[in-house]
Amino acid sequence: MITVWGRENSTNVKKVLWMLDELSLVYEVINAGGAYGKNKDPIYLSLNPNGLVPCLQEDDFVLWESNAILRYLAERSGNEQFWPASAQQRASADKWLDWASNSLVTPYRQVYQTLVRIPEPERDMALVTSGMETFEKYWAIADAVLAKQKWLSGDEFGLGDIPLGIYAYSWYSLDIKRQSHPNIERWYQQLTQRPAFQKRVMIPLS
């Protein structure tokens, strides 16, 4: 049995739960982190000494870091849609996991955390403006790729679409003035038709 520790509204937990549902795997969720606590308790720290979520358990196997979990689940599944036999196809999709973490996380947090989690009188709007400019710059890179292919993973939805899909939902849910990126917008509409995306990603921002 697969067990996932983490709160279901966490960006990184959403990635894992979405992947599990795409693969139609049976699992249980133990709410942890944020308002649920538990992630600083000794039992959790014995699993993930970083005290962060998510953390995956499968029998005696324990794995933390959301991108590592995605790769593990993809390879474990034996499903070529998520783990192609071709090393080049795998790498072409896989690169988006690291790209999202290295490029999008900081500007996304500057915008999202300020607008969603900080009371309006206390918001640093200069930080929001800076974050939006940087995020839009990177969003344009993904848009240019999607002008040439249907999915970030290639011809089919796959592993590479999951990290950016999480950010896309939040980005298009925020009350902000965005630049137009028609190829991402087309790709995002495709995502919204997927039942696993609807279930695990399209939930209220918090």
Side-chain angles (χ1 to χ4, degrees), residues 56-71:
L56 180 143
Q57 282 183 282
E58 186 175 14
D59 301 321
D60 295 331
F61 177 65
V62 177
L63 184 62
W64 32 269
E65 290 297 327
S66 61
N67 287 346
I69 294 171
L70 291 182
R71 293 182 181 107

Side-chain angles (χ1 to χ4, degrees), residues 67-109:
N67 287 346
I69 294 171
L70 291 182
R71 293 182 181 107
Y72 167 69
L73 292 172
E75 184 172 10
R76 174 192 182 280
S77 73
N79 185 332
E80 284 216 8
Q81 181 177 352
F82 294 96
W83 200 255
S86 163
Q88 291 184 352
Q89 286 182 308
R90 287 199 306 274
S92 292
D94 186 23
K95 71 175 181 287
W96 293 106
L97 276 66
D98 292 331
W99 185 84
S101 295
N102 293 330
S103 301
L104 295 181
V105 170
T106 297
Y108 168 79
R109 285 179 176 168

Side-chain angles (χ1 to χ4, degrees), residues 47-58:
L47 301 172
N48 183 356
N50 301 288
L52 302 173
V53 294
C55 181
L56 180 143
Q57 282 183 282
E58 186 175 14

Side-chain angles (χ1 to χ4, degrees), residues 1 23-24 33 38 49 60-61 83-84 92 101 133 152 179 191:
M1 167 66 87
L23 295 171
S24 299
K38 299 180 186 174
D60 295 331
F61 177 65
W83 200 255
S92 292
S101 295
E133 289 175 354
L152 291 169
Q179 296 177 20
L191 290 178

